[in-house]
Amino acid sequence: MHPRTILLAAALGLMACARNTPATTTAPVSSTPRSVRLVVDAPPQETATFDKVREDIEVDTEEGERTPRVVTFGETPVLRRDGQRAQLYGDAKGTLGFSVDNFMLLEVLDAQNTVKRRAVVGFTDSVHMGKELVDNVGRRAFTFEPGEVDITELLPESDPFRIRVTILDSWGVGRVSDVYLVLSAEAPRAAEDDLRGN
């Protein structure tokens, strides 16, 4: 067979293989957990000693200031969820819970630095930003068990994002422990057989 014919046959064979390979439509979910610290521990301090306030926030409360004071804040680098579950912990290994007094405001920003989603976590009455009632994630409490607060639904599936966290206090004492975002593979779903009764 002529060398040019062999070369043409090989090229056509490769093209056929490439055409028959199914395209991957979703990024594979990483099984390696990743963690990033959202905010650093801030020891207890009387509310009145915090100078900075968030004028754009109003809390429905009868026991303190309606305009909360800023205890501390933090912001992540650019992240991608890539199908992983997103939960809050008190340490990078995902073994500890965390605490906050009164609450944390989570703001999810896109690549253009625009806030796309907001939520609050902690012990607070309704929180308003202008006409928007900010969603509360998790139960109304000061302390949370490891991984109890799941913010997966707040974050985009695969687009880049950052999280800005502001710890806010309305009365008494303001504080927060270390808080980490841990991204990990979704827990396997229970098989249908496990859901059936006897």
Side-chain angles (χ1 to χ4, degrees), residues 79-98:
L79 302 169
R80 286 182 187 269
R81 187 163 71 82
D82 291 332
Q84 291 184 304
R85 189 175 182 188
Q87 295 166 281
L88 302 186
Y89 291 87
D91 66 330
K93 294 180 180 178
T95 60
L96 301 176
F98 68 93

Side-chain angles (χ1 to χ4, degrees), residues 88-90 96-104 120-123 136-149 177:
L88 302 186
Y89 291 87
L96 301 176
F98 68 93
S99 60
V100 60
D101 187 350
N102 284 111
F103 66 98
M104 68 173 70
V120 295
V121 176
F123 191 88
N136 194 327
V137 177
R139 60 192 173 88
R140 187 174 184 251
F142 291 112
T143 60
F144 297 89
E145 296 297 318
E148 176 184 344
V149 179
S177 65

